[in-house]
Amino acid sequence: MNQVDYLRISLIDRCNFRCLYCMPEGTELQYILQQNLLTDQELITLIQDVFIPLGFTRFRLTGGEPLLRPGVVELVEKIAHFPQTQDISMTTNGFLLAPIAQSLYDAGLTRINISLDSLDPDIFEQIIGNHGRKRWQQVWLGLQTAYDAGFDPLKLNVVVIPGVNDHEILDLAALTIDKNWHVRFIEFMPIGNGDLFGDRGWVSSAELRDRIRQRWGLTESQVRGNGPADVFQIPGAKGTVGFISQMSECFCDRCNRVRLSADGWLRPCLLNELGQIDLKSALRDGVSTLELQEQVRNLLTFKSEINFKQRDSGTVGTYTRTMSQIGG
Ligand code: SAM
Ligand code: SF4
């Protein structure tokens, strides 16, 4: 198995969007109570005294929407300050990004992924749940501001939804031609909202790749991230296009991450709660960080072989939490 050195940290389970593949309007979600959120100090203690001693060097802040967490810049600064930290990144919907992008960069955030599923403001509003507010422009401004602040390359996440935004694939891929932007197409995962698209299913990476290849050609990129994406380049483009294919391919053997929820549960996998640890309660009960290291080491042994295909064949139970609850 891969060395597991990458921790995805959910800062908050709430969100200012209601994306139809994540937490669509009408879904009943039980939010974490304020007193049950890990505090900044608890989070820092866990990183410094549990994860770093176990060899973790890469941290991603996510959610819910991480920019809704008060004090997020200070938190970035503290995590970036550890000499062992090689990478501290964030996944955000970008809505609150513009005014804070430079501070995040200056605080030491190394990379940022912004979710942008459409270049058409109307379709975008439809995807994120329209409340009569126009939010695409603000996200676009956030993206430009982040790039100008120094987040170069900039990564864009696109969840491809059949019949909604799959006709925009070429336009989204074209963003990589003139700018060092990395566009990542993500196959929709039936997490929490498995029946959402019913018979429409999901669009495979292979199909998307073929469409882009037919338009411009596609070469394997020299830029290979640490993540699960297969990365390609439109010939002559400054950026790259990547495909995250967890539905059509299984990359569990390449997985190098575990996930910490906003209320302090450490989970070995999106689909696997086996061996999960309630680190927040343990800390509050006075369990020593040395003992917690031992428990986390034990959890890492559960990180194997559970994958989407096994779930589909009924070998493991369907995961009922949404991405916003797990920390996507
Ligand atoms: N709110 C932030 C955002 O949207 O970027 C961070 C959290 S969000 C859960 C992290 C990523 O998970 C986003 O890129 C989102 O598009 C993706 N995501 C959420 N639900 C998904 C699903 N069912 N299938 C595939 N990707 C999903
Ligand atoms: Fe919010 Fe991100 Fe989920 Fe969309 S994908 S609802 S922005 S947490």
Side-chain angles (χ1 to χ4, degrees), residues 73 76-77 80 100-110 148-151:
V73 173
V76 166
E77 197 163 22
I100 209 181
Q102 192 66 57
S103 308
L104 287 169
Y105 186 79
D106 295 343
L109 194 72
T110 39
D148 293 344
F151 291 105

Side-chain angles (χ1 to χ4, degrees), residues 49-51 53-54 288-298:
D49 299 334
V50 177
F51 289 101
L54 289 172
S288 76
T289 49
L290 268 183
E291 166 59 24
L292 291 182
Q293 283 179 32
E294 196 47 46
Q295 292 185 19
V296 173
R297 210 177 273 120
N298 188 39

Side-chain angles (χ1 to χ4, degrees), residues 115-135:
S115 299
L116 184 78
D117 297 327
S118 178
L119 294 174
D120 178 329
D122 291 334
I123 295 177
F124 183 76
E125 304 299 334
Q126 182 193 333
I127 293 172
I128 67 168
N130 195 337
H131 299 280
R133 291 161 61 199
K134 297 288 173 210
R135 288 172 287 188

Side-chain angles (χ1 to χ4, degrees), residues 7 38 41-53 260 264 279-280 283 289 292:
L7 181 66
L38 278 175
Q41 187 49 54
E42 287 168 340
L43 191 52
I44 293 300
T45 301
L46 287 174
I47 292 174
Q48 182 171 25
D49 299 334
V50 177
F51 289 101
I52 286 179
L260 183 62
L279 289 175
K280 178 198 76 229
L283 265 186
T289 49
L292 291 182

Side-chain angles (χ1 to χ4, degrees), residues 234-270:
I234 294 172
K238 293 198 173 123
T240 64
V241 286
F243 302 90
I244 303 183
S245 321
Q246 67 287 335
M247 296 303 293
S248 57
E249 294 161 26
C250 174
F251 48 70
C252 300
D253 57 340
R254 286 194 252 153
C255 181
N256 53 8
R257 60 199 60 185
V258 288
R259 292 167 194 267
L260 183 62
S261 69
D263 55 352
W265 282 91
L266 185 70
R267 301 199 167 98
C269 167
L270 274 176

Side-chain angles (χ1 to χ4, degrees), residues 34 81 161 204 234 243 268 289:
Q34 179 69 29
H81 194 68
I161 314 165
S204 76
I234 294 172
F243 302 90
T289 49

